[in-house]
Amino acid sequence: MGANSLHSRRINLEAIFFEKTHAAVAFAVQHLSLKFPCKVEMRLVGTTDVALAVDQERMLPIRKGKIVMRQDLADEAGLESALLAFFEQVHDAAGFAGPAVMFGFPPDKPSA
């Protein structure tokens, strides 16, 4: 399999968590009467020896079995800082200091 086909199948962790976390909070606000302030929890479990692609050439193993981040949210806008804190924990677990801007996030939605 060539590098182009691998790149086209790459899963962008940041983009998935951004999209799904925003959707979950919006759903909770609209349908479950979520009120702010509230807490958000993001987690990855079963990550021992799972590799994190830190760029197109390097994959680093995550050295923790789970990564859990809980944070208070004053409002929905606070979700961006919670996501950044979570991504930092994921990168730290792989021994990688993540960049300040990950796939365009912030200020935009992450993209592959």
Side-chain angles (χ1 to χ4, degrees):
M1 201 177 303
N4 286 340
S5 61
L6 280 175
H7 177 69
S8 66
R9 293 179 40 197
R10 189 176 113 213
I11 298 172
N12 184 318
L13 176 88
E14 292 84 1
I16 291 170
F17 264 87
F18 182 95
E19 179 184 326
K20 300 304 179 188
T21 304
H22 275 277
V25 170
F27 178 85
V29 168
Q30 292 173 5
H31 301 289
L32 303 176
S33 301
L34 174 70
K35 303 285 185 226
F36 293 99
C38 66
K39 290 187 183 287
V40 66
E41 177 175 303
M42 291 174 248
R43 60 176 49 215
L44 288 174
V45 296
T47 53
T48 302
D49 297 324
V50 170
L52 176 68
V54 296
D55 58 36
Q56 297 221 6
E57 303 298 321
R58 289 186 301 158
M59 306 249 322
L60 298 175
I62 295 175
R63 292 179 163 67
K64 290 185 176 182
K66 66 180 177 179
I67 302 160
V68 179
M69 196 280 312
R70 292 178 190 97
Q71 187 166 323
D72 294 326
L73 294 181
D75 53 31
E76 197 166 347
L79 198 49
E80 268 64 13
S81 65
L83 284 161
L84 285 171
F86 179 68
F87 298 153
E88 185 175 307
Q89 285 186 20
V90 173
H91 290 155
D92 285 349
F96 173 70
V101 175
M102 291 172 262
F103 307 103
F105 174 69
D108 299 318
K109 174 180 165 179
S111 61

